[in-house]
Amino acid sequence: MEGLKVSDANLVVYILPSKANRIPQALRGELSSLLFKFNEEFDGVVLVYDILAQSKNGKILPGLTPYFGVNVRAKLLLFSPKPDMLLEGKVMKLRKESIHVIVLGFSYATIAEEDIRGEFRYKIKHGEEVFGSTSHKRHVIKVGSMIRFLTKSFDEEILHISGSLIPANTGSIGWLDKHMRESSEVDRTNKKNREREAHGSRLINEATISLDNEYPPKKSKRSKMVE
């Protein structure tokens, strides 16, 4: 899935003096406060952090509350969806006018009716609401389906995504992956057939040339008289 990136970060974490004897725990507590929030400095939502190194000495900051800063080097996993990126999520609710999806377990996405391509038709099948493809009967989107969709926009404040199912490479992941494998197999088969045909044509041409060289055309009697 697109929208995920790993970033190396050099941070200064400010800790209260009362926690000076518990620095590792204090660092984890401060970094954990960044999780699942959009961070402008990193241009993304922090999903996971891993502390790689920390300074042994902290710099005391003067003030009413004398914090001290600890330099930390960490690796961050960020979620930073941009327009036209392909995202994946689980369908949580489905209505005629919209499809509601959860991405990575925390970010919600909505795909409005006008952003669902025409081949999908809303219907109730066996008492269950679904969007079924009119082009491929087995391509169905329902509650619980994992889908791939295009990002239109991302609201950084409430972590909400506006998505689209207009492109042909979006829809149910299960069907898309299976269709892609089948298409690849067909392409490979067609390629092998073309190679066999080309090889056969080459053998025929080589055999024809060989026969021509071994049995050159005889001259007619008239040609011999002219000579």
Side-chain angles (χ1 to χ4, degrees):
M1 182 178 75
E2 298 177 343
L4 294 172
K5 62 180 182 181
V6 176
S7 177
D8 291 321
N10 293 310
L11 310 170
V12 179
V13 181
Y14 299 105
I15 299 174
L16 286 168
S18 59
K19 299 181 180 179
N21 60 339
R22 295 179 285 114
I23 290 180
Q25 294 89 331
L27 290 176
R28 287 195 294 271
E30 291 297 321
L31 290 177
S32 294
S33 67
L34 300 176
L35 296 177
F36 303 108
K37 299 175 184 176
F38 185 84
N39 190 296
E40 291 185 0
E41 183 178 355
F42 305 128
D43 188 31
V45 179
V46 182
L47 301 180
V48 180
Y49 68 85
D50 181 22
I51 298 175
L52 302 178
Q54 68 182 63
S55 60
K56 295 181 179 180
N57 300 316
K59 182 180 179 181
I60 298 176
L61 304 177
L64 294 175
T65 305
Y67 287 88
F68 64 95
V70 179
N71 293 316
V72 175
R73 185 164 60 87
K75 190 177 290 291
L76 308 176
L77 176 62
L78 303 170
F79 178 57
S80 182
K82 305 294 182 186
D84 297 328
M85 282 186 175
L86 288 172
L87 301 181
E88 298 175 0
K90 184 177 182 179
V91 176
M92 303 301 293
K93 185 170 67 173
L94 188 149
R95 296 290 182 269
K96 184 177 181 179
E97 66 280 357
S98 60
I99 297 174
H100 300 267
V101 183
I102 187 167
V103 180
L104 297 175
F106 77 94
S107 182
Y108 285 91
T110 301
I111 302 170
E113 184 179 9
E114 61 269 22
D115 294 314
I116 301 173
R117 65 180 179 274
E119 74 170 273
F120 286 109
R121 293 286 188 270
Y122 173 84
K123 58 185 176 181
I124 298 178
K125 187 175 181 180
H126 305 301
E128 186 178 29
E129 294 176 297
V130 303
F131 272 96
S133 170
T134 56
S135 302
H136 306 279
K137 292 183 179 180
R138 295 186 178 181
H139 194 179
V140 177
I141 296 173
K142 58 185 179 180
V143 171
S145 296
M146 291 297 296
I147 67 170
R148 183 175 296 127
F149 63 94
L150 193 73
T151 304
K152 289 183 63 182
S153 62
F154 178 52
D155 189 319
E156 299 167 354
E157 186 174 348
I158 61 175
L159 306 182
H160 183 270
I161 303 163
S162 175
S164 168
L165 286 174
I166 297 296
N169 61 341
T170 59
S172 169
I173 293 177
W175 186 89
L176 289 170
D177 290 348
K178 183 179 179 182
H179 183 67
M180 187 178 299
R181 286 195 300 270
E182 291 175 349
S183 298
S184 298
E185 289 174 1
V186 170
D187 289 341
R188 285 195 296 269
T189 301
N190 290 337
K191 183 179 179 181
K192 288 180 180 178
N193 289 336
R194 288 194 299 268
E195 289 175 348
R196 280 197 294 266
E197 290 174 0
H199 182 64
S201 298
R202 187 167 61 251
L203 290 177
I204 292 172
N205 291 335
E206 290 174 354
T208 302
I209 293 171
S210 176
L211 287 172
D212 289 343
N213 292 335
E214 186 174 353
Y215 303 103
K218 295 182 179 180
K219 295 181 180 180
S220 65
K221 292 182 179 180
R222 186 176 179 180
S223 298
K224 290 182 179 179
M225 291 176 65
V226 172
E227 294 175 354

